[in-house]
Amino acid sequence: MKKIGIQQIIDHVAEMCIEANTFLSADMMEGLHRAKGSEESENGKEILETMLCNFEVAKNKNIPICQDTGMVVMFVTFGQDLTIVGGSLEEALQAGVAKGYEQGYLRKSVVADPFIRTNTGNNTPAVIHYQVVAGDGLKIKILPKGFGSENTSALKMLKPSDGMAGVKEFVLQTVETGSPNACAPIVVGVGVGGTMEKAAIMAKEALSRPLGKHNPLGHIEALEDYLLEASNALGIGPMGLGGINTVLGVNVEVFPTHIAGLPVAVNITCYVNRHVEREL
């Protein structure tokens, strides 16, 4: 039986928090370079160039790529034959976030109560979603989520009769309303099906799928292509100042749902779409 000590988990999570906030993933960098090459607006080109320069400065100086270093969201896949030694998995994951945000000099943005709003001082607690699977592996995916874009996200309980057309309309409406305030060009995660909370969780995790990697279902891949093209046809552009690059990618996930419902969630993230994944 495989065993992993909690200190190993703490150290990995701390490193992942720092990495995610300091280095943008290769797929996002490639997407931004493509956007810069295709952008027709002079304002848009200048904005994209500034964004790319910012990433180089952050990498060279080992500083955050954005001042909003986010609230940490984790997706943890836990093998049922794995044994955690020295403490609980939950405690180790939270301790890793605290360590990473302290050692990386990352901004602490989490408040302990949504009304009293006293800062917790170490950016915990993280929001953690667990999936138990066969085997003895441990896979951790980290998404530090900034709230400029999070605040533009939305969820709607459509009727089954609304169908694909209703989903398209709601997603495009959310993009049109939210993208100017979400530091475009954005990435759009969409969850369709399940229950209210399942749709939202799918939309969140969809943001971690690399740009250009489509849903394996043919009709969903076609939906992703349509939404990307239609979103960029809105002309909102980088930072909402006009252009043809409003959205870098649309990732849609689906799940079985009830005969009486069609839940749809749209989770928007800015051009700093941070996601890091490791398997221990």
Side-chain angles (χ1 to χ4, degrees):
M1 182 177 289
K2 183 177 177 181
K3 298 180 180 181
I4 297 179
I6 62 166
Q7 192 59 52
Q8 182 181 354
I9 297 170
I10 292 170
D11 292 343
H12 273 284
V13 170
E15 291 170 4
M16 293 169 74
C17 288
I18 295 171
E19 178 185 342
N21 277 293
T22 309
F23 306 100
L24 196 64
S25 61
D27 66 300
M28 287 299 299
M29 289 295 291
E30 290 167 6
L32 286 164
H33 277 290
R34 284 195 300 271
K36 179 191 168 189
S38 65
E39 184 53 60
E40 298 173 354
S41 158
E42 290 303 318
N43 279 340
K45 289 178 182 178
E46 184 175 350
I47 289 166
L48 290 163
E49 178 63 34
T50 301
M51 290 173 176
L52 290 166
C53 287
N54 174 69
F55 295 135
E56 284 301 311
V57 172
K59 182 173 69 173
N60 293 335
K61 294 191 174 184
N62 201 35
I63 57 177
I65 52 182
C66 179
Q67 53 83 25
D68 185 351
T69 53
M71 185 171 190
V72 175
V73 179
M74 290 192 211
F75 290 89
V76 179
T77 305
F78 181 87
Q80 62 187 10
D81 297 326
L82 176 66
T83 299
I84 304 298
V85 180
S88 76
L89 177 58
E90 173 78 18
E91 291 169 346
L93 295 169
Q94 300 289 359
V97 172
K99 180 180 178 180
Y101 274 73
E102 288 291 341
Q103 290 190 345
Y105 299 99
L106 306 175
R107 195 184 81 181
K108 288 77 175 176
S109 304
V110 176
V111 295
D113 183 284
F115 297 107
I116 299 173
R117 306 193 75 81
T118 301
N119 198 295
T120 62
N122 60 9
N123 219 60
T124 66
V127 177
I128 306 176
H129 303 285
Y130 294 96
Q131 181 182 16
V132 180
V133 297
D136 58 4
L138 179 61
K139 184 162 65 176
I140 302 171
K141 188 186 299 182
I142 286 183
L143 292 77
K145 191 66 172 68
F147 264 61
S149 57
E150 188 76 354
N151 287 336
T152 66
S153 302
L155 183 145
K156 190 171 185 178
M157 303 300 289
L158 297 178
K159 301 184 297 294
S161 59
D162 292 323
M164 185 77 78
V167 171
K168 290 177 179 177
E169 180 181 1
F170 176 61
V171 174
L172 291 174
Q173 180 185 64
T174 304
V175 169
E176 184 172 20
T177 303
S179 58
N181 296 314
C183 295
I186 60 175
V187 178
V188 182
V190 181
V192 184
T195 53
M196 179 187 72
E197 80 281 3
K198 178 63 176 178
I201 292 169
M202 287 192 295
K204 178 75 70 187
E205 189 168 16
L207 296 175
S208 68
R209 194 202 308 162
L211 291 181
K213 184 177 180 181
H214 282 293
N215 189 296
L217 299 173
H219 65 297
I220 304 303
E221 178 179 353
L223 175 61
E224 292 174 337
D225 288 339
Y226 170 84
L227 291 171
L228 178 61
E229 183 176 351
S231 294
N232 284 324
L234 295 170
I236 294 167
M239 298 303 287
L241 296 178
I244 64 170
N245 287 283
T246 303
V247 176
L248 295 175
V250 180
N251 295 339
V252 182
E253 298 294 340
V254 295
F255 192 82
T257 192
H258 192 277
I259 57 173
L262 183 60
V264 185
V266 180
N267 198 202
I268 289 175
T269 190
C270 65
Y271 69 96
V272 183
N273 180 22
R274 297 164 289 201
H275 49 88
V276 174
E277 184 175 325
R278 288 188 187 181
E279 190 160 356
L280 279 63

